[in-house]
Structure formats: structure tokens, C-alpha cells
Amino acid sequence: MDFAIFLVQCLNAVQYGLLLFLVASGLTLIFGILGVINLAHGSFYMIGAYLAYALAPWVAAHLGGGFFTALAIGLMLSVAFGYLLEWGFVSYLYERDHLQQVLMTYGLILVFEELRSILVGDDVHGVAPPAWLAGSVPLGHVMTYPVYRLFMSGVCVAVALGLYAIIARTRLGMAIRAGATNREMAQSLGVDIRLLYRIVFAAGVTLAVFAGMIAAPVSSVYPGMGNQVLIISFVVVVIGGIGSIRGALLASLLVGFADTFGKVFIPQTAGILVYVLMAAILLWRPEGLFRTG
Amino acid sequence: MTVRRSALARVTLAAALCVVAVGAGAQSRIRIGFMLPYTGTYAALGTAIENGFRLYVQEKGGKLGGRELEYFKVDDESEPSKAVDNINKLIKRDNVDVVVGTVHSGVVMAMAKVAKDTNTLLVIPNAGARAVTGPMCAPNIFRSSFSNWQPGYAMGKVAGERGAKKVATITWKYAAGDESVEGFKDGLKASGGEVVKELTLPFPNVEFQALLTEIAATKPDAVYAFFAGGGAVKFVKDYAAAGLNRTIPLYGPGFLTDGTLEAQGAAAQGMLTTLHYADGLDLPKDKAFRADYSKAYKTNPDVYAVQGYDAAQMLDAGFTAVKGDVARRKELVAAIESAHIDSPRGMFTLSKSHDPVQDIYLRKVIGNENRVEGVAVKALADPSPGCRM
Amino acid sequence: MTPTHAITARVWPLGVALVALAVFPHVGGKFYIDLVLTTMILAIFALSLELLVGRTGLVSFGHAAFFGIAAYATALLAPNAAAPSLAWLLPAVVIVTALAALAIGALSLRTRGIYFIMVTLAFAQMAYFVFHDMPFAGGSDGRYLYAKPVLAIGGFTLLDLDKPRTFYYAVLGCLCAVYALLALVGRSRFGHALAGISANEQRMRAAGFSTYPYKLAAFTLAGGLAGVAGFLHAIKDGFVNPEILAWHQSGAVLLMLILGGIGTLRGPVLGAFLFVLLKELFQSEALFGAFARHWQLPLGLTIIACVAMMPNGVIGLPTQWRRAHAPVPHAG
């Protein structure tokens, strides 16, 4: 493998890892701060992709907007959706043990999949990226790299920085960190835990939906797309340490590299590699790379 | 709790008696069992197959072989681990005379075994796994679709004829992918080329970037790819986005561009693929089929609908020969074996291993259609290694 | 010690159930016999997990790995042509599976709580991909089992598992044996130690108990018993496929446990029956017509409702009902 190709593979790995980070960050927030195992997180990703597909023609017809307008509307919808879902369903999960949470959210996956089938159908769809991002930059003589993928990576990095800024530098972030460390103490100090949890859950959902929406132009929209991303995001969250955004970022990049280079060098083991990585890291540090609390 | 459990036995007994009673009373209708994906990734295909089947029956006035039909359905969920239980529902609970299914090769492997063991008539309206007409072949198992090898072979011949000497292949690592690539290799060798790199990734992984970079590094004359559904959409788009389609032509079996063109858009334009069906076939049967299907189901038919339609045709040929008496299995089978099926795809017959012997068309993507360019290979039969019938 | 009438209250339903299952092949239709057969195999699988989740408090999300490893071992070890002998095939499969459980358990048990859940999932996914991607096992399309085992002594065939009736009673026998074994384990010192670990592991360790070997032993035993279920499944279907190791199956067996009721042995068996019944119900066209193709929706809602409202499963319903309607104690 020559150096130019190696660099391109690194670019591929980083881009895949950053997209994973977007999904995993929402999961680690929900997991770490609310203490809820949410198997339906992959469904939010799928909902985002289908939203991108469904909103595009509606937005074009009624609002004259394009991809970004659809994105904005999708984000507003998902915040509302996350809020309602927490209020109506997830808030009942806090008192329950992990097994019950796993099973109830597993039931939720089935419900979302079937609702999607009833409302939008089972066909495969594509979403067009905005025209100004649809080009490619040349890399060497044969290959080009799609501009949209670079855009995606840029957006993921921006989101990562934004998350860091919010959690480390704002009062909300402080309340979140306090709630993660010791819920009762935070409550007795006047933090409205119920509201906080609602906000965090809505944020987690929105991150996953956002990931689905911006990934839709490259990943296309099809039934079952949530399942694939779900397991991998759990692996990322566990490797990184539950509740740690930093950990999620590092772990996503690790997984991105393992998957990309694994595929190229040892194709038979490509599927296993990620899990071997997780098992190895957990045996070395049983609570992930960066534990919280 | 106990009351529930012995109640379960009693309810089950009652239900069993009901089924027997119903079965006894409805002797005059042939029982058709659909085992198709009604949920999951392949749900759209399952629906198309059933629609095509029912369209043919409707054309024949609601009868096949002069007898009325009764339908039973089981959702196979594209889940091989439940396949045996699911097909047993049709065979043992509903006592069907024929099983029609399915899409997923893993599921069809289990179905073929049960069909062979219970000597149930099975018509496969899609899954192209060579094993079911290879080592698992049986007189009661038929296919109305294709074998994974056929479109690959045709594409290989075309690729070689168009001057490709070194070709890279890429597919998912599963039987359908392996068999498709094998067909391509055979066809390519027959016209003077060779496959220099075989790339695979685990099914149903769709992160292609790493392997696209590998392809660019290999600099082949052409690339042959086998993917279907969501994977096909993503691959074709990724291939174009990586700029590879400007210098390295992408070939594939029709599944790469069937049912996916709306999603693939500009990325697929001009692509050549091979399949036993195409748009723009100048056949009166196809034109009539398309008009009827659109009217009945408010959507355009695809290759899956054609395969479902032809499954019904094949059964009709058999049932008619025995005047609806499905118990005369040997004659029924012989009739299907010697049938000439007037399909929307063109006329086809069945090989010794019960796969269609059919023309494979070369198609080009123009707009939202896979327009026929010509016939890549005429009357192609899969050699079906391993079948002893 | 439970009073005698409480023991009898538990024993006679089991007796009735046993008789019902034993008599069923003579009265039920072919399909329903198959359904009960599948359910009994799932019941064995659920019972094996009960040892881990219910008795020891270790929630494993990767139990399908042992089911699948055993099924594949059966298909791979059995020769293509002749019928293999049950005498060596069953022990071989169970030993192979138990060894896998020993290896996976030794590594997984170094983690706790949610991390343990995730690590067991990871190992199950690894096993899944081994069978899915490596060519020796037939890949994603699976592999056939051509000849079903027999138990023969000298030239005399005692048990030919190719015969449906024999196979049914063999499975029923295995179910009873596994049930009895787990009941014995529950009453033994080993079982009490596990219960102690489940209740409060720290206290056990403070009392001088080294908990790791006990947990590992429970994990290995649970894996081996799941192996029995996998072995029977491979024989029943004559076909193995990597999907039996998918995480959905690990989730399904946890669901059976919670539906039936964790903490008892009747629970998993009942849960297996309920799970199969629910699926049949929702997929039934007779009841739901065209909507039956969307069966995942009512199933998902039922799962949520059951877990939410019956956290102790169906077995725990009488206790739950009694507590809800208990007379409120008066003060003073």
C-alpha cells in the first residue's frame, strides 16, 4: 500500500468514526446521565434518515427550501419527539433494572420498525445532497473524494466541539455532570432533575436523528439500517466509557480505523475485529477508557 | 398457571380438530402456501412476487389447472433460523399442496431441505442459491427466477468482449455473492479476461470506502460488483462519488440497478448490467403484463413480479396436465419440466435441475429504466454442478 | 422450610403439565406437535439462562452464542453419510460448548453490571461472525445436518432420533432432566452460594467466599445446558445458520425469562410457551387479517406492557395481585 492510498484510507477511517461518534455521543449521554440502556437508539438514526427522505419533497413544495431547511425542521421535530418520548415512556424506566430497560426498549424497536413500515413503506430510497456539496475533490489520478463526506466530517467535529463547550463551560453542562455523578445530591441542591433528564434525552435523540439525516445522502434509506448502527454504537460507548463524550470520540475513531484497515488487510475477520477490540479493552480497563463518576 | 397449561393443550386440540374439519371440507381447492418476506429489508420484493402470482391467477379466471385456489401466507422475516418452523406451518398446519417462496437464500436452503424430506412441491420465485438445484435438487423443487451464476456469467462474457482483461470483483461474502462472482469469472474466462482481485466484505456491511480505495490502487480495466437493495444503492453512489466511474466501468448483475434507480439517480446513468429481464422489451406478452400489473397494483412491475407471475404459470402448466389432480405428482412434474413458459421476459424452459433456461439481456441505465440493449447470452443454462437427477 | 401444602401446590401442576406434554403427540395435529417441540427446546434454553440471570444475578446478553456453538458443533461433528451415535455426539457437543462457556466466562466475569452485559454481547457477536464469515462453517447460508443420531448398543437400536415420536420424547426427557438438575442445584450448597452472590456479592466476599470460581462454574454450567438445547435444535431442523447466534435470539430468551418470571424454574418454561404463543397469535391471519403482516407492532407493545406491568412475570402475578389487594395495616 503506497503512502497516498494509506492517507486516503485514514481519511475514510476518520470519516466513518466521526459519524459513529455522532450516534454514540447521544447514546453515551442517555446511558451515562439517565442510566437508561436504550436499545431503540438505532431506531432514532433510522427515523432521521427517513425524515430526510420524507421531508425533502414537502419542504421543496411548501417552503421552497432545500436540504438545510429540511434538516432544521427535522431537528425541531426530533427535539419535540425526544421530549415527548421521555415524558411518556422513558421516565418510567429510571427506577427499573437493566434487564427491564433492555427488554422495554427492545419492544420499542419493534414498534418503531413497524410504524415506519406502515407509514412510509419498505422501499429503499435515496436522498440528494445539496447541489453545492455534491462534487468531488480529486485525489491522485484515479480517485476523487466526495465533498459531502468532508462536509459530514466537518459537521461531526463541530458537533463534538459544541458538546464539549456545553458540557464543560455552561451551567447546563455543570448540572448534567452533577446529575451524572450524584443524582440525589444534585436534586437537593436545587437542580430540577426531571427537566434535566428530559433535556438530555431530547438531546441524545436529536443527535442520533441528526446523524441519520446527514448520513442519508451517503448511506441511503432502507429498512433495518438502524440495527447495524445500534450494536456498533453500543460497542463504541462501552469502549469509551459510559457517560464520557471524550471516550466516545476516541472509541469511535478507534473503531473507524479498526473497521477500515481490517477490511483491507484481513477481510475475513473484519466483522469480528471490532468485538475483539472491545473485549480486549474491557479486559484491560473493565469500565472503558474514560470512566465517569 | 397450570390451568393455563392444560387449557393450552385443550385449546390446541380444538384448533387442530378445526383445521382438520376445514381441510376435509375444502378438498376442491388447491392450497397454495406463500412463504415470503412480509417484513424487513425484502418486504417490497415479497409483495411484488405475490402480486405477480395473483395477477396470473386472475388472468386465468381465479383458477389454476381449472381448480380454484386457497392461499395461505407465512412471513419468513428473512430469518433462516426460523425457516424450518415457518415452512412447517404451511406444510403441516395448513396442509398446502404447493409452497411458493422465497427471496433470501439462507431461508430457501432450509425450505428446500424440508420440501425434499416431505416431498412437498416447492416453487422458488427468487432466491438464486445454486445449492437448491445443485446438491439439494429434487423432482419436486422448481425455480421460476434465475440461479446466481447466470447473470454473472453473462456479464463476464460481455465484459471480456468489451476488452476488459483485468477485472476486480467486489461483493458481500455470502453464497449469493460468491456464486455471482463465480459466474462472472467463468464468463470472463470464456472471452479472454481474468479476475485479478476479489474483494469481499461481510454481509450486510455497507462501509465501502476502504475497498473503493483498494480498487483505485489496483487500477483494473473494469469492476464487477454484486449487491442488492440498500447495499446496491449505496455502492453505486459511493463508486460514482469516488470518481471511479469516469475511468473504470462498473458492471454487475441486474440487482445492482433494479428497484434502486430512483435512489441512485445520476450515479447509475449509463451503467451496463445483465439480467433475465429488462425495460423496453419488444414483446407483446411483456407489454400486456406491464399494462395489467400497473392497472391492478398502481405501480410498475419489476423482475420480482415477473418471477411471481411465472411461478403461477409453471404451476398452471403442471396442474393443467393432470387436470387439477395434484396427487398425480410424477405427471405434474414431467409437465412442468417440458413446459414452454410464455413469460414477460421471453420464452423460457426448464433445465434438468429445474432452473430456467433463459436469455440474459444486456441492459443500460437510461433515466429511471434499465433499457434493453441486446441479448448478452441466449438460452443460458446453469450447469448445476452436484445435481444428480 | 416451606409448609407441605405449599410444596404440593407447586408439585401437582408440574405433574399435570408433564402428563399433558407426554400425552400430546397422541392427540395433537402434526403442526402443533412441532410447535410444542420447538417450545420445549426453547424452554431448555431459557432454563439454562435462568441459572445465570435468576439464581446468580448475572444478566447475559450473549447466551445465544452457546446455543449456536452447540448447534454448529452438532452439524460439523456429525458425519455426512452414516447416522452418528448419540453416545458420543451429545457429550462431545456439550463438552465443546461448556469449554467455550468456560473461556468466555473466564474473560467476561472480570467485568460487572452493564459492562458484563456488553461484554457477553460482544463475545456472542464474535461467535456470530466466526460462523458467518469463515468458510469452514458454510457461511451466511448455513449448513445442513444430513443424518440424525441414533443410540445403539451392539446391533440393537434403542433410540432413533430420526423418528418423530422418539425425538419428541427424547426432547421431553431432556427438558425434565434439565429441570430436575437445576432444581437439585438450587437446593445444593452451590446453589445457595449463587443465591448469596446474587443478593449481595460484596457481603459474600467479606464473609470469605471467593465468588469468582462460583460465578464461573455457574456460567459454564449454563453454557453447557444451553448446548443441550442447541444440539436438539440442530437435530430438529437438520439445518444450522449463523442467525441462531444473532443478538436478537439472546434478547428473545431474556424476554422469555421475564415473561414467565425470573427466580423460579416454572417461569422460563411458561415464558417459552407464552412467547411462542404470542408470536403465533399476532401472525395469525385468521385473527388479524391483512394487518397480520405488521405483527411486530402488537408484539412490541405487548413486550413493553408485560415488562412494565408484570415485572415478576406471569408466575409472579398471584403474588403481585395479593400485594396490590393486601389489607392496609392500621397504625396504633
Side-chain angles (χ1 to χ4, degrees):
Chain A
M1 167 178 284
D2 69 17
F3 193 63
I5 297 289
F6 175 73
L7 279 184
V8 176
Q9 295 289 28
C10 287
L11 196 56
N12 293 332
V14 167
Q15 182 259 302
Y16 175 51
L18 284 174
L19 186 67
L20 271 184
F21 166 71
L22 214 52
V23 181
S25 60
L27 191 59
T28 202
L29 274 179
I30 294 175
F31 209 164
I33 290 153
L34 277 58
V36 171
I37 305 176
N38 178 27
L39 285 186
H41 204 71
S43 302
F44 302 142
Y45 177 80
M46 174 212 37
I47 288 174
Y50 272 90
L51 261 182
Y53 161 71
L55 284 177
W58 186 89
V59 161
H62 295 256
L63 297 174
F67 183 75
F68 289 102
T69 325
L71 199 59
I73 298 194
L75 287 178
M76 289 192 286
L77 284 175
S78 75
V79 168
F81 172 64
Y83 213 79
L84 283 173
L85 192 62
E86 197 279 348
W87 171 80
F89 180 78
V90 180
S91 49
Y92 298 104
L93 294 181
Y94 301 141
E95 301 306 311
R96 297 178 181 268
D97 62 37
H98 286 317
L99 180 58
Q100 292 173 336
Q101 291 174 356
V102 161
L103 292 174
M104 284 177 79
T105 51
Y106 179 72
L108 205 58
I109 298 180
L110 296 180
V111 170
F112 283 142
E113 273 298 320
E114 211 57 67
L115 282 177
R116 191 261 315 135
S117 173
I118 295 175
L119 292 172
V120 194
D122 295 308
D123 293 317
V124 181
H125 299 289
V127 173
W132 60 279
L133 286 174
S136 302
V137 272
L139 287 174
H141 346 267
V142 185
M143 265 201 89
T144 63
Y145 202 80
V147 169
Y148 189 77
R149 283 180 183 263
L150 294 171
F151 165 73
M152 270 172 66
S153 303
V155 165
C156 293
V157 169
V159 168
L161 289 173
L163 274 176
Y164 171 72
I166 293 178
I167 294 199
R169 298 286 151 98
T170 65
R171 291 183 74 88
L172 174 64
M174 217 163 44
I176 289 176
R177 277 180 286 139
T181 320
N182 192 323
R183 186 189 310 182
E184 287 83 9
M185 183 64 86
Q187 227 165 349
S188 63
L189 287 174
V191 175
D192 183 350
I193 283 285
R194 306 289 284 164
L195 181 63
L196 184 69
Y197 280 7
R198 209 154 285 165
I199 293 175
V200 170
F201 187 78
V205 170
T206 308
L207 280 167
V209 169
F210 180 67
M213 291 191 84
I214 63 165
V218 292
S219 74
S220 73
V221 181
Y222 57 96
M225 63 188 297
N227 285 323
Q228 295 176 27
V229 91
L230 173 71
I231 288 283
I232 298 285
S233 1
F234 265 103
V235 170
V236 164
V237 164
V238 171
I239 291 180
I242 298 176
S244 164
I245 300 281
R246 245 186 318 168
L249 184 58
L250 182 57
S252 329
L253 291 172
L254 264 176
V255 168
F257 273 88
D259 190 70
T260 302
F261 284 96
K263 256 196 213 115
V264 175
F265 288 124
I266 0 171
Q268 288 107 317
T269 60
I272 307 183
L273 215 51
V274 170
Y275 299 99
V276 171
L277 182 65
M278 168 161 132
I281 290 186
L282 279 182
L283 295 171
W284 169 48
R285 282 162 97 78
E287 288 185 13
L289 291 172
F290 297 95
R291 355 176 174 175
T292 47
Chain B
M1 180 278 290
T2 335
V3 173
R4 280 198 192 97
R5 279 245 240 124
S6 37
L8 169 65
R10 273 185 245 127
V11 164
T12 314
L13 170 59
L17 286 174
C18 285
V19 168
V20 169
V22 166
Q27 258 338 324
S28 52
R29 289 202 259 178
I30 303 184
R31 304 160 87 95
I32 311 275
F34 287 116
M35 182 158 154
L36 292 168
Y38 292 109
T39 55
T41 341
Y42 295 134
L45 281 57
T47 313
I49 289 172
E50 189 181 337
N51 286 349
F53 190 98
R54 286 187 188 251
L55 184 67
Y56 181 83
V57 173
Q58 201 190 329
E59 283 175 11
K60 292 284 162 182
K63 303 184 183 180
L64 284 186
R67 274 177 68 182
E68 289 198 357
L69 304 175
E70 204 179 344
Y71 296 107
F72 298 88
K73 289 203 266 201
V74 161
D75 178 7
D76 77 359
E77 304 166 53
S78 298
E79 186 54 85
S81 58
K82 306 208 180 84
V84 173
D85 291 335
N86 280 332
I87 193 178
N88 276 330
K89 269 190 225 186
L90 289 172
I91 296 177
K92 296 190 187 172
R93 178 187 68 182
D94 303 326
N95 294 303
V96 297
D97 300 304
V98 183
V99 174
V100 177
T102 179
V103 174
H104 187 286
S105 283
V107 175
V108 100
M109 296 271 290
M111 287 172 70
K113 182 163 211 288
V114 175
K116 199 170 177 182
D117 289 343
T118 57
N119 197 22
T120 309
L121 191 57
L122 170 66
V123 180
I124 303 170
N126 190 66
R130 289 178 96 189
V132 297
T133 50
M136 262 286 147
C137 70
N140 55 310
I141 298 178
F142 286 91
R143 212 170 358 215
S144 71
S145 51
F146 61 97
S147 86
N148 290 322
W149 181 91
Q150 282 174 320
Y153 181 87
M155 195 73 246
K157 249 187 111 241
V158 168
E161 285 162 3
R162 286 177 172 250
K165 291 269 172 271
K166 304 181 304 151
V167 181
T169 64
I170 177 171
T171 180
W172 281 316
K173 187 102 193 75
Y174 68 153
D178 293 340
E179 291 168 1
S180 190
V181 166
E182 201 177 316
F184 179 81
K185 275 161 73 172
D186 289 346
L188 183 65
K189 204 160 13 144
S191 47
E194 73 165 321
V195 169
V196 295
K197 199 160 190 101
E198 289 182 50
L199 296 167
T200 62
L201 70 168
F203 173 78
N205 198 306
V206 289
E207 283 304 312
F208 301 118
Q209 282 303 113
L211 295 178
L212 286 173
T213 313
E214 269 299 289
I215 290 176
T218 314
K219 298 209 224 320
D221 298 325
V223 169
Y224 177 77
F226 171 70
F227 295 103
V233 173
K234 189 162 196 285
F235 182 79
V236 170
K237 287 173 74 170
D238 283 357
Y239 192 84
L244 293 171
N245 60 340
R246 291 172 306 159
T247 47
I248 309 176
L250 175 62
Y251 298 129
F255 305 106
L256 209 54
T257 56
D258 239 66
T260 55
L261 288 175
E262 174 240 324
Q264 284 162 337
Q269 295 305 307
M271 267 183 67
L272 291 175
T273 57
T274 49
L275 198 65
H276 47 289
Y277 190 58
D279 297 317
L281 288 177
D282 192 17
L283 297 166
K285 180 75 186 179
D286 186 38
K287 297 192 176 129
F289 170 73
R290 285 180 178 237
D292 294 339
Y293 191 95
S294 316
K295 212 165 73 157
Y297 300 111
K298 313 283 183 292
T299 175
N300 285 326
D302 52 21
V303 64
Y304 306 103
V306 172
Q307 290 165 178
Y309 185 87
D310 290 336
Q313 272 207 73
M314 284 164 60
L315 285 174
D316 194 23
F319 292 159
T320 312
V322 296
K323 301 209 182 22
D325 185 0
V326 296
R328 286 154 62 184
R329 176 66 68 76
K330 268 197 138 121
E331 292 173 51
L332 207 167
V333 164
I336 304 181
E337 282 175 341
S338 54
H340 288 260
I341 308 292
D342 183 19
S343 164
R345 74 184 93 168
M347 192 75 81
F348 73 85
T349 55
L350 289 168
S351 68
K352 275 182 67 78
S353 55
H354 295 180
D355 271 327
V357 180
Q358 56 194 342
D359 294 344
I360 309 288
Y361 299 105
L362 179 65
R363 312 119 39 102
K364 188 177 194 168
V365 175
I366 299 180
N368 257 6
E369 293 195 324
N370 287 290
R371 294 227 128 231
V372 59
E373 291 262 295
V375 176
V377 180
K378 269 200 96 45
L380 182 61
D382 186 333
S384 295
C387 180
R388 284 159 287 144
M389 259 214 299
Chain C
M1 277 306 300
T2 45
T4 334
H5 69 84
I7 299 180
T8 2
R10 265 192 292 162
V11 166
W12 74 257
L14 285 176
V16 173
L18 186 57
V19 169
L21 285 176
V23 162
F24 192 69
H26 300 275
V27 296
K30 264 198 297 178
F31 166 68
Y32 292 99
I33 296 178
D34 269 359
L35 198 62
V36 171
L37 200 58
T38 306
T39 316
M40 288 199 291
I41 295 178
L42 285 176
I44 297 177
F45 186 30
L47 278 172
S48 72
L49 187 59
E50 159 64 26
L51 178 66
L52 266 184
V53 176
R55 185 147 283 275
T56 323
L58 291 169
V59 177
S60 162
F61 208 156
H63 212 56
F66 308 117
F67 186 88
I69 289 175
Y72 264 93
T74 315
L76 290 169
L77 288 174
N80 272 354
S85 168
L86 199 59
W88 67 262
L89 189 60
L90 177 56
V93 166
V94 173
I95 288 175
V96 163
T97 313
L99 284 175
L102 185 64
I104 292 177
L107 295 171
S108 311
L109 286 167
R110 289 167 48 116
T111 59
R112 278 189 207 332
I114 184 59
Y115 295 95
F116 176 74
I117 300 181
M118 294 309 298
V119 158
T120 50
L121 173 62
F123 278 112
Q125 287 290 96
M126 269 192 252
Y128 170 79
F129 281 111
V130 163
F131 291 116
H132 188 272
D133 294 337
M134 306 239 165
F136 76 91
S140 76
D141 285 336
R143 212 193 128 88
Y144 291 121
L145 173 73
Y146 290 102
K148 312 211 173 166
V150 291
L151 183 63
I153 297 188
F156 187 66
T157 312
L158 287 172
L159 280 176
D160 182 5
L161 293 183
D162 204 18
K163 298 213 177 67
R165 278 279 165 88
T166 318
F167 184 60
Y168 181 96
Y169 286 114
V171 171
L172 182 58
C174 284
L175 177 60
C176 296
V178 170
Y179 194 104
L181 175 67
L182 287 174
L184 277 176
V185 164
R187 281 179 229 286
S188 69
R189 271 199 55 179
F190 176 59
H192 286 130
L194 295 179
I197 292 172
S198 170
N200 193 327
E201 189 174 348
Q202 242 171 333
R203 207 187 322 163
M204 294 288 283
R205 275 192 284 147
F209 246 78
S210 168
T211 53
Y212 180 81
Y214 281 90
K215 293 198 286 190
L216 186 56
F219 197 92
T220 310
L221 181 58
L225 291 176
V228 173
F231 170 79
L232 292 171
H233 175 90
I235 297 177
K236 173 180 80 83
D237 271 7
F239 171 69
V240 294
N241 183 280
E243 294 305 313
I244 54 184
L245 294 121
W247 65 273
H248 293 277
Q249 313 288 24
S250 296
V253 67
L254 282 172
L255 196 58
M256 289 181 227
L257 275 188
I258 224 182
L259 268 181
I262 299 183
T264 67
L265 288 178
R266 292 121 61 213
V269 179
L270 186 62
F273 272 90
L274 284 176
F275 180 73
V276 171
L277 215 64
L278 275 176
K279 262 193 98 185
E280 282 301 305
L281 190 75
F282 292 130
Q283 287 181 319
S284 152
E285 278 215 319
L287 289 170
F288 290 95
F291 193 74
R293 58 175 291 168
H294 295 296
W295 57 271
Q296 288 188 60
L297 182 60
L299 184 65
L301 290 171
T302 309
I303 292 174
I304 293 174
C306 284
V307 176
M309 299 193 295
M310 300 191 307
N312 291 322
V314 171
I315 292 279
L317 269 182
T319 327
Q320 204 177 335
W321 195 85
R322 245 183 278 132
R323 268 199 223 125
H325 291 75
V328 179
H330 293 288

